[in-house]
Amino acid sequence: MKVAFGGYGEKLVTFEAAEGVLAGMPVMMSANGTVVPCAAGKAFCGAAVNVRNGFAAVQLAGYVRLPYTGTAPAVGYQTLVGDGAGKIKTDAAGRQLLVVDVDTSAAVCGVIL
């Protein structure tokens, strides 16, 4: 890719991290101030960037690269959800986000949250 989107509009918030939250996965809220791995078919609030000592830095805005499953999302606005296994997928029940790049060989796409 000839352009870079990293750093664009990044906003991170620290949450308590439930068991199973890992860096690089989509997460969703489960309780006051707590995130869990995003369940299958559910909209995700952001991506865990770092997880340590029971807390997660969660990116809620800006450019993030996330692994996907199933058919590669098309570039442009797509409706995305968690797949329940730490990845995202296209699904009409999700959140509409801007997909700006797709790497089909690595099954990763760049999304503006």
Side-chain angles (χ1 to χ4, degrees), residues 26-83:
V27 295
M28 59 188 255
M29 298 292 303
S30 65
N32 291 342
T34 304
V35 293
V36 295
C38 191
K42 297 291 185 179
F44 54 97
C45 66
V49 175
N50 190 354
V51 181
R52 185 174 56 206
N53 298 325
F55 293 92
V58 177
Q59 186 174 340
L60 299 177
Y63 174 81
V64 64
R65 288 178 60 79
L66 292 168
Y68 68 84
T69 188
T71 303
V75 173
Y77 281 98
Q78 301 298 323
T79 307
L80 304 171
V81 297
D83 78 339

Side-chain angles (χ1 to χ4, degrees), residues 1-6 63-66 68 72-76 80 88 98-104 107-112:
M1 202 166 64
K2 296 182 182 182
V3 296
F5 301 104
Y63 174 81
V64 64
R65 288 178 60 79
L66 292 168
Y68 68 84
V75 173
L80 304 171
I88 61 172
L98 180 60
V99 176
V100 295
D101 62 84
V102 179
D103 180 347
T104 55
V108 175
C109 62
V111 176
I112 304 288

